Amino acid sequence: MIRDLYNVRPRREEGLTTPLTDEEEQRFRAVLFSELGNKISDQGWARFPAYTPEDRRRLVEVAHRLSSYWGRRVFVEAEDQCALRLCLAGYETQPQPLPSGFQRVRVPGASTCVDGPGRQTPR
């Protein structure tokens, strides 16, 4: 029996990402700014997944924009290897002791506090 397959494309290799166009990037950052900003203003913090270095850079840039928009510091903390936490002063998490056999890993683009537009200082 022969079957015709329409609109079938080969699968991309796992791990490959397609870069966003400039317009898509601007729209995505605007959505993050709005959604994360609303959540942070409601509860003081927001968690968002960041699987790639580009995701982490994007979230740090959104924290910069929120800081300059509100005039208040927005902190960026790495919760684990796949998630970042954006929070206002007073909602930071305190470092917890790690179980024996584990090491603390610094995630690039995270563990920074935002002092104002375009300025970061390591924590």
Side-chain angles (χ1 to χ4, degrees), residues 11-31:
R11 272 179 99 176
R12 291 187 324 200
E13 292 182 34
E14 293 297 321
L16 289 181
T17 59
T18 56
L20 299 176
T21 64
D22 289 337
E23 180 186 348
E24 291 170 334
E25 183 70 31
Q26 289 174 352
R27 283 190 285 153
F28 186 51
R29 287 181 190 226
V31 168

Side-chain angles (χ1 to χ4, degrees), residues 43-109:
Q43 64 187 24
W45 62 275
R47 178 182 302 125
F48 200 80
Y51 300 110
T52 65
E54 182 56 39
D55 291 339
R56 291 185 280 277
R57 281 191 291 273
R58 191 176 289 128
L59 289 173
V60 169
E61 196 274 328
V62 167
H64 282 266
R65 287 184 55 204
L66 287 170
S67 291
S68 63
Y69 183 74
W70 287 334
R72 295 184 63 186
R73 290 170 59 175
V74 175
F75 294 91
V76 180
E77 301 174 336
E79 283 199 325
D80 56 30
Q81 293 177 346
C82 298
L84 292 181
R85 186 173 193 267
L86 284 70
C87 60
L88 294 172
Y91 291 91
E92 305 97 332
T93 57
Q94 299 300 320
Q96 302 294 323
L98 293 174
S100 62
F102 286 88
Q103 292 180 335
R104 203 168 290 281
V105 177
R106 184 168 274 220
V107 178

